[in-house]
Amino acid sequence: MIYKSIADRLRIRLNSSDYTIGSPLPGEKKLAEEFGVSRMTIRKAVDLLVGWGLVNRRQGSGTWVTKKDVHHETTNLTGFVEVMRSQGKDVMSEVLEFNVMPAPPAIASLLRIKIDEKIYYSRRVRAVGGKPLMVEDSYMPVKLFRNLSLAHLEGSKFSYIEDECQIIISGNYETLTPVLADAKTAKLLNIAEATPILRITSLSYSDKGEFLNYSVMFRNASEYQVDYHLRRDHTRMPPDQPGGDEL
């Protein structure tokens, strides 16, 4: 439903650096004009944001941001190639598959596009120092990246998206799950079958609320370590507010 798609895009916008807790949301009329829909559709989208606890309505004064549910600094969002280069290491990317295909329902839902809409599918093995560290399956909407090529995939997708396409990557949703390597993945990573590895799903979006790339990655955790520095956000809930999490 279109109002759910609009709510998702507004959710991304509210979680960007453009908004802080207490910022006002544009009025229904302005949002309706921006998205080309009726004010009723916008109202239903905002109702979802209210239900998620991200905004609240104040009688006579509009709608205001009350919290964010994604907290990160976009300056810390870096691609695999950028991370390795910062450590003085070069990444070699071998593209095993690259083709255009109709988006299956699950991928279309994640990228917020129509089922069977054209997407790029690619499978890459990323290696550092001759050691394969990652197998990545990636899905990208063709409509956003008309000239994506094999050469781009052999380099950095982040660089292609931002430098060549001039699209700002605003954020990224990631899910990390420990799994055991199946036979095919183990062969690509040059490890024994059933070795513990890390499965990472990644969904990147732009500053305009467009979903750019969905990837499923398998990392050899024994060869590749990532250190995170996460800061606690004290704006979410004051210590004396009922309902806060306890350590």
Side-chain angles (χ1 to χ4, degrees):
M1 297 180 183
I2 190 169
Y3 74 90
K4 291 183 179 179
S5 175
I6 292 172
D8 282 329
R9 295 181 67 174
L10 289 174
R11 185 178 198 164
I12 290 173
R13 187 179 301 180
L14 298 182
N15 279 303
S16 74
S17 59
D18 294 335
Y19 284 82
T20 59
I21 306 300
S23 294
L25 197 67
E28 289 181 357
K29 182 178 180 181
K30 185 174 181 180
L31 288 174
E33 292 174 351
E34 176 184 346
F35 289 102
V37 297
S38 68
R39 294 181 64 171
M40 178 60 71
T41 299
I42 294 297
R43 192 166 302 132
K44 292 174 71 174
V46 174
D47 284 343
L48 286 179
L49 297 179
V50 172
W52 294 334
L54 300 178
V55 303
N56 67 7
R57 290 188 175 96
R58 300 177 188 173
Q59 189 65 35
S61 64
T63 305
W64 303 78
V65 178
T66 55
K67 78 170 187 179
K68 298 191 176 194
D69 60 354
V70 177
H71 299 273
H72 58 72
E73 296 180 57
T74 55
T75 54
N76 291 334
L77 178 58
T78 52
F80 181 69
V81 172
E82 294 168 319
V83 171
M84 291 295 103
R85 283 177 179 168
S86 71
Q87 299 177 14
K89 301 174 182 178
D90 291 326
V91 177
M92 296 295 293
S93 297
E94 180 185 1
V95 181
L96 304 180
E97 295 183 53
F98 177 43
N99 54 60
V100 174
M101 61 179 283
I107 301 301
S109 176
L110 287 165
L111 293 174
R112 306 303 195 271
I113 59 177
K114 296 178 181 178
I115 294 173
D116 291 335
E117 187 171 322
K118 297 299 183 183
I119 60 171
Y120 294 107
Y121 166 72
S122 62
R123 166 165 280 201
R124 303 189 293 179
V125 175
R126 324 294 300 280
V128 175
K131 293 182 178 180
L133 299 186
M134 182 194 304
V135 176
E136 177 196 41
D137 291 323
S138 180
Y139 307 86
M140 303 171 69
V142 170
K143 66 182 179 183
L144 296 179
F145 308 107
R146 297 291 184 182
N147 67 337
L148 181 65
S149 68
L150 187 65
H152 294 128
L153 294 174
E154 290 174 340
S156 166
K157 282 191 299 183
F158 267 40
S159 178
Y160 164 71
I161 292 170
E162 294 194 318
D163 298 337
E164 187 167 332
C165 299
Q166 297 295 299
I167 297 174
I168 297 174
I169 301 173
S170 182
N172 194 57
Y173 294 102
E174 282 193 355
T175 301
L176 292 78
T177 309
V179 298
L180 299 179
D182 61 24
K184 188 172 184 179
T185 303
K187 183 177 181 180
L188 291 173
L189 290 174
N190 195 26
I191 57 177
E193 187 176 350
T195 296
I197 58 175
L198 201 58
R199 180 183 187 271
I200 304 171
T201 62
S202 172
L203 180 62
S204 303
Y205 56 87
S206 74
D207 60 336
K208 296 181 179 179
E210 297 168 314
F211 289 90
L212 308 172
N213 176 78
Y214 175 68
S215 292
V216 179
M217 296 165 281
F218 295 94
R219 287 181 182 168
N220 184 350
S222 65
E223 293 286 352
Y224 176 52
Q225 175 179 318
V226 178
D227 296 320
Y228 291 96
H229 176 200
L230 304 177
R231 298 189 304 171
R232 183 168 174 80
D233 185 354
H234 292 280
T235 65
R236 295 185 68 180
M237 186 171 289
D240 59 349
Q241 184 170 340
D245 292 335
E246 296 183 2
L247 296 178

